[in-house]
Amino acid sequence: MRGFYGGMSSHQLVLVDGIPQNKGKDKLVDWDLISLENIESIEVVRGPASALYGDNAMSGVINIITKKPAGKPEAKVFASYGNFNTQEYKTSVSGAYKKLGVLLGASQKITDGFRKHCNYDRTHIDGRLDYNINDDQKVQFLLDYYKKKRGALPWALSEVQIAQDRRQARPGTENDKSDETKSDISITHAWDISNNAKTEETFYYKYDNADSFYTGPNLTQNSQKEQLEDEDAYGFMLKGSMNQEIMGLGHEFTVGVDLVRDNFDYKEYAAPYRQRGALQSDYGIKKDKIGPYLQDE
């Protein structure tokens, strides 16, 4: 979007049901921790949108909208098996009763990977509750939980290595591994005050923890490291909008404020023989944001 490389761009804001997914450390997004089977639709705003969405939206906004509870109760089960011991399992139940809608799902993907030592295991649990207080007000509760384990990063191979065995991982990485846990919780209250005015308040909490052993390119004991990352973020978003005709022109006024507190801690240890050694890097990022906005379109 606007010349920024999407896979690693820190200038685009990614939302899931309006909740920011960019990390506090580098503003990047772990796309692997966004569940494809839970997506209903995707909205894309191209171009600068920081006036409404804050500092990450320099090149645009991607808002991923998850599925809503089904009207009639339903249950789904899916399983598959493929090459390299690749297994995938999914199950979900969904339905609505009077004013309450419920959606619960769980999935797991396991594979040994095309490259050796690149095994992968991801578990995802999600839940959604929609409650209609009355014809004008509703409350939505969302929960996402991910746990991911993977082996070594495969890295590139030389032509000689490919000729020997194109499935091999980089030598010396057979014991590399990474564990990551991520949780998102949010609650939203929406109120249609009138045909021309509405408000929405959202509170969310995000937690991300990762622990990995990593071998650098020189394949020595000094290049083996343990990396620890820990992030938790709290946010509150308040937004109101009103449609009004002024001098024959339709206006949509939007006003609101975003409050965010984000704490990120990073530690890196030398890890010869996969044992925690001397502390080599230790820093934290603390970010408090107050973002009021006003727009007339």
Side-chain angles (χ1 to χ4, degrees), residues 41 45 90 107 132 151-152 168-169 216 223 227 252 287:
S41 60
V45 179
K90 303 175 188 177
S107 66
N132 295 318
Q168 69 175 298
S223 70
Q227 298 170 326
E252 181 178 358
K287 177 181 178 182

Side-chain angles (χ1 to χ4, degrees), residues 9 12 32 45 65 81 88 115 118 179 183-184 237 243:
S9 175
Q12 63 191 23
D32 194 33
V45 179
I65 301 170
Y81 184 85
E88 192 164 6
R115 301 276 292 277
C118 296
D179 295 338
S183 301
D184 291 353
M237 301 182 292
N243 296 314

Side-chain angles (χ1 to χ4, degrees), residues 92-227:
S92 66
V93 293
S94 179
Y97 179 73
K98 294 184 177 180
K99 295 183 177 183
L100 181 66
V102 180
L103 188 153
L104 298 173
S107 66
Q108 184 177 29
K109 183 174 183 179
I110 306 169
T111 182
D112 292 340
F114 170 71
R115 301 276 292 277
K116 294 179 180 178
H117 317 312
C118 296
N119 52 292
Y120 173 90
D121 185 344
R122 188 195 73 171
T123 301
H124 173 223
I125 299 173
D126 65 286
R128 174 171 178 158
L129 295 176
D130 290 350
Y131 180 72
N132 295 318
I133 301 174
N134 51 42
D135 293 340
D136 301 323
Q137 298 185 66
K138 63 181 180 180
V139 176
Q140 173 184 284
F141 174 80
L142 297 174
L143 168 67
D144 265 322
Y145 171 82
Y146 294 89
K147 187 171 183 60
K148 181 175 70 172
K149 297 181 179 180
R150 64 166 173 79
L153 294 171
W155 299 94
L157 298 176
S158 67
E159 292 185 5
V160 174
Q161 290 172 321
I162 292 174
Q164 292 172 343
D165 180 6
R166 65 194 186 113
R167 287 198 61 206
Q168 69 175 298
R170 191 179 63 183
T173 61
E174 56 272 9
N175 294 317
D176 285 4
K177 63 179 182 178
S178 175
D179 295 338
E180 183 172 1
T181 301
K182 181 177 182 290
S183 301
D184 291 353
I185 301 174
S186 69
I187 184 169
T188 299
H189 171 256
W191 183 17
D192 293 336
I193 301 173
S194 67
N195 292 333
N196 298 325
K198 59 183 179 180
T199 63
E200 185 175 286
E201 312 92 47
T202 299
F203 171 81
Y204 66 86
Y205 170 72
K206 302 189 302 177
Y207 174 76
D208 196 338
N209 176 267
D211 183 2
S212 61
F213 284 103
Y214 165 75
T215 301
N218 58 12
L219 305 180
T220 65
Q221 293 296 331
N222 292 331
S223 70
Q224 295 178 353
K225 304 178 185 301
E226 180 184 13
Q227 298 170 326

